[in-house]
Amino acid sequence: MQIFLFIGLVVYVIVFPALCVFAWFRGGVTERRVATAYMIAAIASIFADLFGNHWRGPNWGVIIVDIVFLVVLIVIARQSTRFWPLWAAASQLAGCLAHFPAIMNPAFPKELYVSTQPYWAVPLLVSLMIGSISAHRQRRIWEKSDRATSGIGPRIPI
């Protein structure tokens, strides 16, 4: 069990901020929006958890933050021409649905509730990584091609 806690710590402390910084500096508009929204949601979740009931029942502060973040991801996915925001919104939807057992049964074991919540962030991070790498690669191809001197902009918004 401790190896899973270590992996989660590495993901949230090292990989998540590094991926957000990569998305901010190398991604397109969609990647920057999702990275910013994700960072705000992560910080808001930390504060909501500090003032919540510490997973002894439904953690309403975290639930509200997760639902607001889901709505933001859906809006971003609807405005984007990219494919990966749909994946991010789908993984956030699964993370929101993981709250329902604790809502339906307040006596739900907190170990199960706590263990199901953070794993839905991994597919969201992977989709953000795919989108950021794709946008960066597409920008580099555009800069090296003849279109960079022809005045035609890149296919992705920068």
Side-chain angles (χ1 to χ4, degrees), residues 46-134:
I46 291 170
F47 285 116
D49 188 39
L50 290 176
F51 298 113
N53 57 6
H54 303 290
W55 305 102
R56 286 187 293 272
N59 197 337
W60 291 105
V62 176
I63 292 170
I64 291 170
V65 169
D66 283 349
I67 291 172
V68 169
F69 183 47
L70 173 64
V71 170
V72 168
L73 285 177
I74 290 171
V75 169
I76 290 171
R78 285 189 47 97
Q79 293 175 348
S80 177
T81 59
R82 313 292 307 275
F83 63 90
W84 69 269
L86 293 173
W87 296 351
S91 65
Q92 181 62 25
L93 175 63
C96 288
L97 291 176
H99 289 290
F100 277 109
I103 292 171
M104 297 303 212
N105 182 9
F108 192 72
K110 74 175 187 175
E111 292 83 11
L112 292 176
Y113 188 31
V114 172
S115 66
T116 58
Q117 274 311 127
Y119 293 108
W120 290 108
V122 174
L124 201 150
L125 287 174
V126 169
S127 63
L128 178 60
M129 180 183 66
I130 289 170
S132 299
I133 290 172
S134 173

Side-chain angles (χ1 to χ4, degrees), residues 15-36 38 84 125 127-133 135-136 139:
V15 175
F16 169 62
L19 185 57
C20 285
V21 168
F22 181 75
W24 286 327
F25 288 108
R26 298 294 183 196
V29 173
T30 304
E31 290 78 16
R32 288 192 291 268
R33 286 180 182 167
V34 171
T36 303
Y38 197 15
W84 69 269
L125 287 174
S127 63
L128 178 60
M129 180 183 66
I130 289 170
S132 299
I133 290 172
H136 176 64
R139 184 179 301 116

